Amino acid sequence: LTLPQPEILDILISPSKTEIFHERGEWDDSARQTLEMRAKIELRRNAETLKLVDKAKENSILLFKKLIKTKKQLIIQFDESN
């Protein structure tokens, strides 16, 4: 069984669901966009540090082995072409 490589497709930051610890002054839209972009970069870095892609591979292997019950050896690999 060949599966696509797991990848982080997008990082969504919802200002309405973001907790603000300290805010004062006026924020224009470009400052908000800059902070949002910096947060996305940091979140992507954290995902790499936590090895989320490797964990996704491990989880998908476990799930497919539970899903496909067979007496034969199930070989699960990930497409390396991407």
Side-chain angles (χ1 to χ4, degrees):
L1 178 63
T2 302
L3 301 173
Q5 283 286 346
E7 61 181 307
I8 297 173
L9 299 175
D10 200 4
I11 297 172
L12 302 175
I13 298 175
S14 174
S16 64
K17 295 181 180 179
T18 303
E19 185 175 343
I20 298 171
F21 293 99
H22 184 73
E23 180 181 337
R24 65 179 162 198
E26 298 289 323
W27 290 85
D28 63 6
D29 197 48
S30 66
R32 183 197 54 78
Q33 288 177 347
T34 300
L35 288 173
E36 188 174 306
M37 185 58 64
R38 287 175 50 195
K40 284 183 178 185
I41 291 168
E42 187 65 28
L43 288 169
R44 187 169 296 276
R45 222 179 271 139
N46 288 346
E48 291 170 4
T49 300
L50 294 170
K51 300 182 184 217
L52 293 185
V53 170
D54 292 338
K55 289 178 183 178
K57 283 182 179 182
E58 293 169 9
N59 286 338
S60 60
I61 289 170
L62 291 173
L63 289 172
F64 274 98
K65 284 185 177 182
K66 286 182 181 180
L67 180 67
I68 302 171
K69 297 289 184 184
T70 181
K71 293 181 182 180
K72 297 179 182 179
Q73 181 183 9
L74 182 60
I75 298 173
I76 300 173
Q77 59 188 13
F78 294 90
D79 186 5
E80 299 291 334
S81 64
N82 291 341

